[in-house]
C-alpha cells in the first residue's frame, strides 16, 4: 500500500520534521525543496528516504541545522561559500542566486562550496541555472566509495558531474552522471532481497570482483569506464575539494548516519554566459538538440526526467506505507491552525 502526496504536502511534512529536529525554518524549507525535487526527478534515493538520516544528523549535531551560508567574494568572477557544516542545499541555492549576474558580467563565474553535506541530485542546480539562461557545470564529492584504478583503498567518492545548457523556448539539456558503475543503493537493495549483484558492479575488500552485496559494501564500487572513471573521480576531488578547501572523500564521514564528525565535503559550480564568445550559442545549442531529436531512438539528456517531473507534479508522489509512517513520526501531528 502507498500514500499519494502532492508536492506541497510532501514539502510541508519535510519542513515540520526538520524544524522538530534542530533545524531552522529557512534551512528546512531549502532541504524540503531539494528532497521533493529529487522525487519529481525520479531519484527517490536522494528524496524522502533521506529525511530520517537528515533529522538524526541534525539532532546529533553532525549537521548544523541552523548554519547560514557565508559568502566571500574572492575574485571578480568567483565566490567562496562556507556552508558551515550545515545542509548543502541552502549553500547551493545561494550559489544559484549569485552566479547568473556574475556570469553575465564576467562571461564566466564560479562558486566553490566547502564544509558542505550531501548535495542530492546534481542535475537540479545546473538545471536551475540553465532555466535562467546560463550554461552550468557542477561537480561534488561524497564519502569514500571508489579506489584509484589498481588499488583497493577507497579514496574517491562516487562524485557526480552535472551539466546543463539552455535552449530557446524549450526545457534545458541536462546531463547528470555518477562516476560509479552502479548506485550504492542498488547494492544495498540487492542485499536486503538476498539477491546477487552483477560481477562488474563492485569489488570486495581485497579488490576482487564480487557478486555478494555484503562483500561489495565492505569493499569498493566499480568506476564507470574503469580507469577512466577513477581519473574523472580524481578530477572532481581536485575541483570541489582541493580547490575549495573542503574535505577530500577519504576524510569525509558518512552521509547516511549520525556518527562521527560532519562530512565537510565540497561542491563547485561553474556558470557561463552563452554569449561570452559571441558565437550565437543559443541557436547553435538548438541546432544540436534538433539533430539529436531527429535521430531515430535518441532522446535529449534530461527529457525523461523532465517528463517524469511534470507527471508527478500533476499526479503526486507515491510513498510506501513504511516510509510514510516514518515521515509522519518525524513530522508529528499537524498544527491546529493547519486543520482549520
Amino acid at each position: 500500500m502507498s500514500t499519494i502526496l502532492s508536492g506541497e504536502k510532501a514539502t510541508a511534512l519535510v519542513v515540520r520534521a526538520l524544524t522538530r529536529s534542530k533545524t531552522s525554518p529557512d534551512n528546512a524549507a531549502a532541504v524540503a525543496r531539494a528532497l521533493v525535487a529529487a522525487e519529481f526527478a525520479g531519484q527517490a534515493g536522494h528524496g524522502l528516504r533521506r529525511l530520517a538520516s537528515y533529522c538524526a544528523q541534525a539532532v546529533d549535531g553532525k549537521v548544523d541545522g541552523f548554519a547560514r551560508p557565508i559568502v566571500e567574494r574572492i575574485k571578480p568572477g568567483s565566490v567562496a561559500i562556507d556552508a558551515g557544516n550545515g545542509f548543502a542545499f541552502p549553500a547551493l541555492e545561494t550559489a544559484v542566486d549569485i552566479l547568473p549576474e556574475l556570469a553575465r558580467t564576467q562571461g564566466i563565474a564560479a562558486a566553490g562550496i566547502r564544509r558542505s553535506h550531501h548535495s542530492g541530485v546534481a542535475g537540479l542546480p545546473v538545471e536551475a541555472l540553465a532555466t535562467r539562461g546560463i550554461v552550468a557545470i557542477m561537480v561534488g564529492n561524497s564519502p569514500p566509495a571508489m579506489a584509484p584504478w589498481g588499488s583497493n583503498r577507497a579514496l574517491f567518492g562516487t562524485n557526480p558531474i552535472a551539466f546543463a545548457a539552455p535552449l530557446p523556448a524549450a526545457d534545458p539539456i541536462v546531463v547528470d552522471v555518477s562516476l560509479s558503475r552502479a548506485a550504492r543503493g542498488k547494492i544495498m537493495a540487492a542485499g536486503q532481497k538476498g539477491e546477487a549483484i552483477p560481477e562488474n558492479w563492485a569489488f570486495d575488500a581485497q579488490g576482487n570482483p564480487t557478486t555478494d552485496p555484503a562483500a561489495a559494501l565492505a569493499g569498493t564500487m566499480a568506476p564507470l569506464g574503469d580507469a577512466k572513471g577513477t581519473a574523472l573521480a580524481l578530477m572532481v576531488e581536485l575541483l570541489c575539494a582541493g580547490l575549495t578547501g573542503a574535505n577530500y572523500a577519504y576524510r569525509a564521514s558518512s552521509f547516511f548516519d549520525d556518527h562521527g564528525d560532519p562530512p565537510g565535503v565540497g561542491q563547485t559550480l561553474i556558470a557561463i554566459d552563452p554569449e561570452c564568445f559571441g558565437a550565437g550559442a543559443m541557436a547553435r545549442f538548438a541546432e544540436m538538440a534538433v539533430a539529436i531529436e531527429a535521430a531515430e531512438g535518441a532522446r535529449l539528456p534530461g527529457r525523461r526526467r523532465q517528463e517524469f517531473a511534470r507527471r508527478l507534479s500533476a499526479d503526486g508522489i507515491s510513498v510506501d506505507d513504511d516510509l510514510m509512517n516514518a515521515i509522519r513520526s518525524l513530522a508529528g501531528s499537524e498544527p491546529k491552525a493547519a486543520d482549520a
Side-chain angles (χ1 to χ4, degrees), residues 17-326:
L18 284 165
T19 53
R20 296 178 76 232
S21 304
K22 297 185 178 179
T23 300
S24 72
D26 286 350
N27 286 347
V31 174
R33 285 189 288 271
L35 297 189
V36 172
E39 294 285 345
F40 281 175
Q43 298 290 329
H46 293 301
L48 297 177
R49 292 190 178 280
R50 295 274 179 165
L51 181 59
S53 66
Y54 280 7
C55 288
Q57 291 176 63
V59 168
D60 183 72
K62 185 174 181 176
V63 173
D64 182 352
F66 295 93
R68 296 173 64 89
I70 297 172
V71 178
E72 184 181 3
R73 187 78 171 265
I74 302 295
K75 298 282 187 179
S78 67
V79 291
I81 301 177
D82 182 353
N85 289 324
F87 292 105
F89 307 115
L92 288 167
E93 288 187 352
T94 298
V96 169
D97 286 342
I98 290 172
L99 285 173
E101 182 180 353
L102 277 184
R104 291 191 180 97
T105 300
Q106 303 292 330
I108 184 169
I113 302 172
R114 66 185 185 275
R115 295 209 299 165
S116 192
H117 194 261
H118 175 240
S119 58
V121 180
L124 293 173
V126 294
E127 186 170 26
L129 286 165
T131 60
R132 302 185 192 191
I134 297 296
V135 179
I137 300 168
M138 175 177 156
V139 291
N141 71 340
S142 54
M146 296 198 305
W149 193 248
S151 172
N152 59 5
R153 181 188 175 195
L155 292 180
F156 310 140
T158 54
N159 294 9
I161 300 174
F163 166 85
L167 291 174
D171 289 330
I173 296 170
V174 183
V175 177
D176 184 352
V177 294
S178 174
L179 295 180
S180 59
R181 190 181 296 274
R184 195 171 177 86
K186 289 185 177 180
I187 294 177
M188 289 189 284
Q192 292 167 357
K193 297 174 183 177
E195 297 174 351
I197 60 171
E199 192 176 64
N200 63 352
W201 276 16
F203 304 103
D204 64 19
Q206 288 71 47
N208 301 310
T210 182
T211 60
D212 179 358
L217 291 172
T220 58
M221 303 293 292
L224 185 70
D226 297 334
K228 294 177 182 178
T230 57
L232 287 172
L234 170 60
M235 178 192 78
V236 171
E237 292 288 343
L238 297 178
L239 283 172
C240 69
L243 198 62
T244 69
N247 279 341
Y248 285 123
Y250 63 86
R251 296 189 182 278
S253 61
S254 173
F255 289 156
F256 291 104
D257 60 46
D258 56 358
H259 306 308
D261 295 328
V265 295
Q267 295 92 33
T268 293
L269 292 91
I270 301 168
I272 305 168
D273 181 354
E275 301 307 317
C276 66
F277 300 123
M282 292 293 285
R284 294 179 61 79
F285 294 166
E287 177 187 346
M288 174 59 82
V290 168
I292 292 171
E293 290 179 319
E296 185 177 355
R299 180 194 293 262
L300 276 176
R303 288 293 179 262
R304 187 186 301 275
R305 190 173 73 186
Q306 289 153 356
E307 292 166 8
F308 194 77
R310 279 190 282 271
R311 179 170 62 81
L312 285 189
S313 182
D315 298 344
I317 303 163
S318 179
V319 182
D320 68 61
D321 285 347
D322 288 344
L323 178 57
M324 192 68 235
N325 290 336

